Every structure is written in C-alpha cells, then in structure tokens.
Amino acid sequence: MGWLPKHSTFLHTLQDSLQQGASDRVAAGLPGSIPDHLLAVVAVLVALCLVLASVALGWAMVWHTTLHKIGIFRDLLGLNRARKAEQKREAQRKIAKIKEQFARAAAAPGQPEHSKAA
C-alpha cells in the first residue's frame, strides 16, 4: 500500500476490498488467474484503442492544417474526381474547337496556307 497517498482513505478501502475479494476467491478454490487474464486482455484492448484514437486525432489535425492542400493525398482519397472531370471536359471542348477550325480551313481551299493554321 505504499503507492497510495496517506490521506486517501477511499483508495485504501478499495485496495483492501480487492485484496479481500482475491483471497476469498483463492480460499473458495476458484482459479485466481482467470480475472487476471481478463484484466490483461481488457488492458491491452484499452491501450490499443488509445493508440488508434491518438493516431486518428493526429491524422485529422494534420489533414485539416496541411495535407488537404497536397494533391497526391487528395488523389489517394478520391477527392479530386470532380475537378479532374471538369478538366477533362474542358480539354475535350478545346480539342473539338481546334478540330472544327481545321475542318473549316480544309473546306475553304482558296485561302493561303498560313491562314489555314490560325
């Protein structure tokens, strides 16, 4: 009981109760290691949850401060689809416009060569 503060009677009472319960289990012939294993599993799960929550919180903070501006991360998460689709449509419009200009230039045979390319 050296780790408890001297003025903490509640903690002393709780520790005494836990020790009495453990000694009662052993005296009754119940295996004392099952609750210990259960406690160990619960402790590992709680620690794992805390680590995952810390990583998630860190990722969210870094995402909202800087990573959302970097294109490769936006591509990996699929957030640039609308912008890329708009860029593709714009490129297709430009290509169609250039093809139309060449078609008009080819249809007018009497014009000089340098004005056909314009």
Side-chain angles (χ1 to χ4, degrees):
M1 285 205 272
W3 59 273
L4 292 175
K6 293 179 182 176
H7 62 278
S8 177
T9 57
F10 172 74
L11 292 177
H12 285 288
T13 306
L14 180 62
Q15 184 181 19
D16 291 340
S17 174
L18 289 174
Q19 287 175 348
Q20 182 62 35
S23 61
D24 288 347
R25 275 195 331 263
V26 172
L30 297 173
S33 63
I34 291 175
D36 295 336
H37 289 295
L38 181 62
L39 181 62
V41 169
V42 169
V44 168
L45 290 176
V46 167
L48 183 63
C49 288
L50 287 173
V51 167
L52 291 177
S54 298
V55 169
L57 180 64
W59 174 262
M61 287 175 25
V62 172
W63 173 260
H64 287 292
T65 56
T66 55
L67 292 182
H68 72 278
K69 300 173 187 174
I70 300 173
I72 185 111
F73 291 108
R74 295 183 63 80
D75 287 340
L76 288 173
L77 296 175
L79 299 174
N80 284 339
R81 290 183 186 148
R83 191 181 83 198
K84 286 189 176 195
E86 180 58 36
Q87 289 174 345
K88 185 177 181 180
R89 284 191 294 271
E90 183 65 29
Q92 288 173 342
R93 282 192 290 264
K94 288 180 181 180
I95 291 170
K97 184 178 177 182
I98 291 171
K99 283 183 179 180
E100 182 182 320
Q101 288 175 350
F102 278 118
R104 273 191 271 137
Q111 295 182 354
E113 190 67 32
H114 67 275
S115 66
K116 286 185 180 180

